[in-house]
Amino acid sequence: MATPQPGQTTQQPGGPPGDSYFTESRKGEINELRNLLRGFATERDPMRKRDIIKKVLAYMTLGIDVSRLFTEMMLAIETRDLVIKKMIYLYLTNYARTHPELAQMCTNTLTKDCANDDPMVRGLALRALCGLNLPQMVEYISEPLRRSLSDGHAYVRKTAVMGVLKLYHLDRETFESCGFVDILYDMLRDPDASVVVNCVICLNEVMQKSPAGGMAINRAIMLHLLNRIHEFNEFAQVQILELVPRYIPANEEEGYQIMNLLDPVLSTSGSGAVMATVHAFLSLADQVVGDDEHKLQMKRQIVERVKPSLVTQISSGSSEMMYTLLKHVETLAEACPGVFDDEYRQFYVRYNEPTHVKYLKLAVLPRLANPDTAPDIVSELAECVHDSNVKMSRLAVRSMARIACGGTGGPGAAEAIARRLLELLDLNVEHVSSEAASALTLIVRKHPTLKPMVAPPLTRSLKYITEPSGRASVLYLLGDCGDMVPAAPYALEKLIDSYDSLEDAGVKLALLTTTMKLFLQQNRAPEVQHMLGRLLAKACDDVSSQDLHDRALQYYRLLRNADLHTLQTTIPQLKANYIPEHVPFAEEDDSARQKLLVEEFNTLSVLYGKPSVHFIAPEYQVKYVKMPAEHPLSPGAPSAQQLETSVLHQEQPVAASAPAYADVDLLGFGDGPLASQTPSVTQPVSSLSLNPSVNLSGDDYQSRWEGISDNDAHVSAIPMGMSSITTDSVEAALASVHVRTIASGELPTEFKFFLYAQESTSGMLFLIQGNIEKQSAEPLMIATIKVTGDMASSELINQLISTMTTALQ
């Protein structure tokens, strides 16, 4: 017997050549397969039969048209081999849409198999029948579906539930006439967990466009599903847990009851279920607790409870999972400062981690700094500064600066970090020295008492730092610490003389501002006067930057017409710009964004670091109505269609203290403790009428805005339909509906508006801050609305948003 040579394949007796079915088609092979299929019934070898069907599917997968074998494949379906049946069903569903006339040939066979004695055959046939996706097949699908929903085998029932969803997308009129929604609600009591979760998925998708944004939920449904949470797999648990944020408990006791039911999920190994549970806990804390202080305390307790699970998941997952969990931990650490501080070592960078995880850990570590942990964290960051990865080195320096500026490191932390940064300033590594200079700029703005320490090496650093950002930072420090650096004017003079060789506009602006600051300092004017004149002359003739040209011209005119004291006190760039330690920098104050991220926890918003209104188009935004929903099958309750219509006409959600539960047993579990409560009656809200003659001063606006907590603000995305967006056009459009503008401005990346309006009847003031991104493909105004006096109903705010939306089209 000959030995096969390397690269050759052997042929198995009775099987196809080689070890792959995906070989090139040779002329006549379709006809050969047809001959094999015609002798299929007489073939005795079951493996040979499978190989023939596999070869047909292999050709189909390669894009070869094997629809000519449809008749022969239909004849081969009469077999007891489940594997062959499954492959033939796959063949049928693949060619059903492109060859509908052929698909109709298999209707009787599939309908017959739906009544087979074997439940696997029934399920596979039903899945294939619903997967044909042909409108003309609707009349053949409805009855097998209805019969399969009450089948004795769980596999058939769960397949039938997904078949109902396919029928919904195929023919909604038939779906509604068959009353499948009511049947699906009844099937929530099914003993098999996989059937229940399929019902939840189906109901959520079928009722997606209803005002509730998904299936209707009430106390009986919620407690029934949560009591069975241990029966579901991880995917199913996530589907059930996503219902919790849409449900409003009747009182604190019920909220704690739900939390107790969810608590065991935190000990599971699935990160998806753990994160969904955290989101459920946070939403329950918002719903069952009233005042902000108690709410924050409750959230801290929740984060303390889930912390061990999150830390374990981070240390044991893949790099992708680690990154996702770290982003959520970053959000929680910002919302509840101090909770993760004792676990700071778990967030140290490890050598074998991917770079994106290392970067994120460096961003998280400053949030875990306190007087006890700050020294260790700063030492760890100082080691990362010397990493060969340039970006990682830069991030480590920035993280050290955040600890110094945040005030979380305790007394003396800022000085210790400043000393480390001064050492890095003299380090012969360009990007490290540049970042150290930028970090020292921030620290001096927060801690001006450190200027004597920072001042000495500045003139030396200006010689060898060449990065534009670093050089601009050193120039800023020279202007701030100029009275402590005798040689400062002479260091600037060298740059002024080589002005034409400077390319970066930021460095030129910093040089101009610093020279002006030195000129205005006591007893420094004679030293700086001549070099300032040369600099102003060059900057006024510089056309590379309009901002630089205008700034220089402004300084020149002011120097000619104003005294030095007036100049020093009126120009913002020339004033001492120090910020109290407990006050964050304006660019870092994102409390409103943080609040939205917590509300959208366990979504892509946390990974992107911005609310969903910034990356999901308005027509795809899903707004859930958080209210207890009437079960469509309750005695005396309206039908599913009537329920949807009634919700459309509700003016506002029912308050949490008076849940709308009918006095019925919704799922047959006996009377609950709240079953006898009667629904609260919602009073209609009057239509919005705005005062056309309202007037508000800037100081009054600011004091009123600051007097209202950010937690009481309402944030909404208003689509812009205007062809040309300018501050004037937006102000004119809003003025036409009596929304007044107190101030507006155009920034490099966005338009900003400060607006207000007054409700005529009650005198209630609406204070609005709007931002419009310039580069957005579909412009949106992100409006933050605060209401003075008694809080307005959500309906009045929605009417105001609707009025503004109409005006901006």
Side-chain angles (χ1 to χ4, degrees):
M1 182 176 178
T3 303
Q5 297 298 317
Q8 293 182 345
T9 58
T10 59
Q11 180 173 350
Q12 301 297 331
D19 56 359
S20 174
Y21 295 97
F22 296 90
T23 56
E24 291 188 8
S25 173
R26 295 187 295 274
K27 185 177 180 181
E29 285 203 358
I30 299 296
N31 292 328
E32 181 184 347
L33 282 175
R34 178 182 283 111
N35 294 331
L36 291 173
L37 286 170
R38 286 175 178 172
F40 193 85
T42 59
E43 178 63 53
R44 295 182 177 276
D45 186 357
M47 298 306 297
R48 175 63 176 167
K49 289 184 176 181
R50 291 185 183 184
D51 288 336
I52 295 171
I53 305 299
K54 285 179 182 178
K55 190 68 173 179
V56 175
L57 293 185
Y59 281 11
M60 182 181 74
T61 306
L62 290 171
I64 300 171
D65 185 10
V66 289
S67 60
R68 290 175 289 170
L69 304 176
F70 201 93
T71 304
E72 288 76 13
M73 291 288 284
M74 281 299 306
L75 294 174
I77 203 172
E78 297 294 341
T79 178
R80 294 184 179 182
D81 192 329
L82 284 178
V83 176
I84 294 178
K85 273 187 176 293
K86 190 172 184 178
M87 290 191 290
I88 295 177
Y89 289 156
L90 176 62
Y91 173 90
L92 297 179
T93 53
N94 182 73
Y95 283 110
R97 180 168 294 185
T98 55
H99 300 78
E101 69 286 351
L102 298 177
Q104 289 183 330
M105 296 170 52
C106 65
T107 304
N108 292 334
T109 302
L110 292 176
T111 306
K112 178 183 175 183
D113 283 349
C114 286
N116 195 285
D117 293 336
D118 189 340
M120 296 301 295
V121 174
R122 295 200 300 270
L124 289 173
L126 183 65
R127 186 172 68 173
L129 185 62
C130 297
L132 295 178
N133 202 25
L134 297 172
Q136 57 266 38
M137 300 294 293
V138 170
E139 58 180 308
Y140 303 103
I141 296 175
S142 302
E143 188 54 37
L145 267 181
R146 184 185 296 275
R147 186 171 62 248
S148 299
L149 287 172
S150 58
D151 194 276
H153 198 278
Y155 172 72
V156 181
R157 295 198 302 275
K158 75 175 185 179
T159 304
V161 171
M162 301 313 293
V164 167
L165 187 56
K166 293 177 182 178
L167 177 63
Y168 168 77
H169 290 294
L170 192 60
D171 190 336
R172 297 190 181 183
E173 185 176 344
T174 303
F175 171 85
E176 293 173 0
S177 64
C178 292
F180 282 127
V181 170
D182 296 345
I183 297 174
L184 291 175
Y185 270 108
D186 265 344
M187 292 183 69
L188 292 176
R189 293 176 290 186
D190 195 279
D192 188 88
S194 60
V195 177
V196 175
V197 72
N198 278 10
C199 290
V200 171
I201 294 170
C202 184
L203 285 170
N204 272 330
E205 188 162 346
V206 166
M207 303 178 72
Q208 185 68 47
K209 294 185 179 180
S210 69
M215 66 176 286
I217 315 165
N218 61 17
R219 180 177 184 274
I221 293 176
M222 181 56 62
L223 293 182
H224 168 62
L225 293 175
L226 295 183
N227 275 309
R228 299 183 58 184
I229 194 73
H230 61 280
E231 301 178 19
F232 300 104
N233 57 28
E234 182 186 356
F235 172 79
Q237 285 179 344
V238 172
Q239 299 299 317
I240 301 301
L241 291 169
E242 286 179 350
L243 300 177
V244 178
R246 293 167 42 199
Y247 175 73
I248 295 182
N251 47 42
E252 283 195 44
E253 182 181 354
E254 186 180 346
Y256 294 137
Q257 180 184 5
I258 293 176
M259 289 183 184
N260 290 333
L261 291 173
L262 295 180
D263 190 71
V265 183
L266 294 174
S267 59
T268 61
S269 59
S271 56
V274 171
M275 298 307 296
T277 305
V278 177
H279 185 205
F281 277 0
L282 293 174
S283 67
L284 288 171
D286 280 330
Q287 294 164 9
V288 302
V289 181
D291 59 291
D292 291 342
E293 184 178 352
H294 189 192
K295 191 177 296 185
L296 179 59
Q297 183 181 359
M298 171 67 72
K299 287 184 178 180
R300 291 185 66 87
Q301 293 175 358
I302 290 172
V303 177
E304 283 280 5
R305 174 64 187 87
V306 304
K307 178 176 64 175
S309 300
L310 292 177
V311 172
T312 302
Q313 294 282 349
I314 289 173
S315 59
S316 60
S318 62
S319 60
E320 293 81 6
M321 186 59 64
M322 189 185 301
Y323 180 85
T324 303
L325 293 171
L326 282 170
K327 289 293 289 185
H328 286 80
V329 167
E330 182 184 27
T331 302
L332 292 176
E334 190 171 351
C336 304
V339 175
F340 287 91
D341 289 2
D342 57 338
E343 298 286 351
Y344 69 96
R345 287 189 177 87
Q346 300 294 332
F347 298 90
Y348 280 178
V349 172
R350 292 176 173 82
Y351 75 95
N352 59 345
E353 291 173 339
T355 53
H356 60 281
V357 174
K358 292 180 179 179
Y359 298 159
L360 186 52
K361 282 190 171 183
L362 291 176
V364 172
L365 278 173
R367 304 189 187 280
L368 312 182
N370 60 36
D372 296 327
T373 64
D376 287 348
I377 293 177
V378 171
S379 299
E380 177 70 16
L381 293 173
E383 293 296 325
C384 296
V385 170
H386 302 285
D387 194 274
S388 58
N389 186 321
V390 174
K391 184 175 180 179
M392 184 173 170
S393 179
R394 291 180 184 274
L395 289 175
V397 176
R398 293 172 192 171
S399 296
M400 292 169 66
R402 287 184 62 186
I403 296 175
C405 296
T408 58
E415 182 178 352
I417 293 173
R419 291 187 186 279
R420 285 184 179 269
L421 292 176
L422 287 172
E423 295 174 3
L424 297 176
L425 194 64
D426 290 331
L427 195 66
N428 193 22
V429 181
E430 179 61 32
H431 65 274
V432 174
S433 301
S434 176
E435 285 296 333
S438 301
L440 285 169
T441 302
L442 299 176
I443 294 176
V444 168
R445 290 177 64 190
K446 284 278 190 169
H447 304 276
T449 57
L450 297 178
K451 288 199 294 184
M453 180 196 304
V454 175
L458 293 179
T459 54
R460 182 173 68 252
S461 302
L462 192 60
K463 297 177 182 178
Y464 57 77
I465 293 182
T466 57
E467 273 196 12
S469 60
R471 179 172 281 190
S473 297
V474 174
L475 287 170
Y476 173 87
L477 290 172
L478 272 176
D480 233 22
C481 310
D483 54 337
M484 303 177 187
V485 185
Y490 310 104
L492 296 181
E493 189 171 19
K494 295 180 180 179
L495 282 179
I496 294 172
D497 292 340
S498 59
Y499 180 89
D500 294 334
S501 64
L502 300 178
E503 297 180 355
D504 186 77
V507 175
K508 294 179 181 178
L509 275 171
L511 178 61
L512 178 62
T513 303
T514 298
T515 308
M516 281 292 296
K517 282 184 177 181
L518 289 179
F519 177 74
L520 296 175
Q521 286 179 1
Q522 190 174 8
N523 301 326
R524 303 304 292 266
E527 296 178 271
V528 184
Q529 181 176 0
H530 293 294
M531 67 178 74
L532 176 60
R534 298 199 306 273
L535 177 59
L536 287 174
K538 293 180 179 180
C540 288
D541 293 336
D542 194 339
V543 295
S544 63
S545 170
Q546 188 65 41
D547 190 14
L548 174 66
H549 171 80
D550 293 346
R551 186 83 60 85
L553 200 58
Q554 179 191 31
Y555 289 162
Y556 172 72
R557 290 171 177 169
L558 287 171
L559 284 169
R560 290 186 58 186
N561 303 317
D563 60 274
L564 297 185
H565 177 72
T566 302
L567 186 65
Q568 194 171 15
T569 55
T570 55
I571 304 299
Q573 292 83 7
L574 304 181
K575 289 194 244 180
N577 188 18
Y578 303 131
I579 299 174
E581 185 175 350
H582 64 279
V583 178
F585 292 117
E587 61 270 20
E588 296 180 358
D589 185 11
D590 55 354
S591 54
R593 179 189 67 89
Q594 180 62 31
K595 179 185 176 184
L596 292 175
L597 290 184
V598 173
E599 291 178 359
E600 299 182 10
F601 196 79
N602 197 31
T603 66
L604 285 176
S605 298
V606 177
L607 296 184
Y608 293 159
K610 53 187 177 181
S612 59
V613 294
H614 291 289
F615 58 88
I616 298 180
E619 60 267 26
Y620 298 109
Q621 290 280 341
V622 177
K623 298 296 184 183
Y624 294 116
V625 176
K626 295 184 177 180
M627 56 180 294
E630 185 74 43
H631 190 287
L633 301 183
S634 302
S639 66
Q641 292 80 4
Q642 292 171 333
L643 176 67
E644 183 171 337
T645 305
S646 67
V647 175
L648 280 170
H649 295 289
Q650 283 184 335
E651 295 296 332
Q652 70 181 91
V654 180
S657 58
Y661 295 137
D663 188 10
V664 293
D665 181 12
L666 298 181
L667 284 178
F669 301 133
D671 295 335
L674 304 176
S676 60
Q677 294 187 17
T678 57
S680 61
V681 179
T682 303
Q683 297 296 329
V685 179
S686 58
S687 59
L688 179 70
S689 174
L690 298 180
N691 181 3
S693 58
V694 62
N695 192 19
L696 198 64
S697 67
D699 293 339
D700 193 16
Y701 181 98
Q702 183 174 357
S703 62
R704 290 174 183 266
W705 180 272
E706 292 176 350
I708 302 173
S709 170
D710 290 338
N711 294 328
D712 297 329
H714 179 93
V715 181
S716 181
I718 301 176
M720 305 282 294
M722 306 172 69
S723 57
S724 176
I725 298 177
T726 63
T727 54
D728 292 337
S729 63
V730 174
E731 289 178 22
L734 294 175
S736 66
V737 293
H738 311 310
V739 176
R740 306 298 182 190
T741 305
I742 199 165
S744 64
E746 182 176 356
L747 302 176
T749 60
E750 65 179 359
F751 296 99
K752 197 171 185 68
F753 299 88
F754 297 87
L755 313 166
Y756 65 95
Q758 185 180 42
E759 210 277 325
S760 300
T761 306
S762 63
M764 195 175 298
L765 273 175
F766 299 95
L767 307 179
I768 311 159
Q769 290 189 7
N771 299 74
I772 305 173
E773 289 190 9
K774 289 184 177 180
Q775 305 300 326
S776 176
E778 298 182 2
L780 294 172
M781 173 182 280
I782 307 301
T784 304
I785 304 173
K786 294 184 178 181
V787 185
T788 64
D790 296 333
M791 287 301 298
S793 70
S794 58
E795 179 62 26
L796 279 179
I797 295 176
N798 289 337
Q799 290 185 30
L800 174 65
I801 294 171
S802 177
T803 302
M804 294 175 64
T805 302
T806 303
L808 295 173
Q809 296 308 305

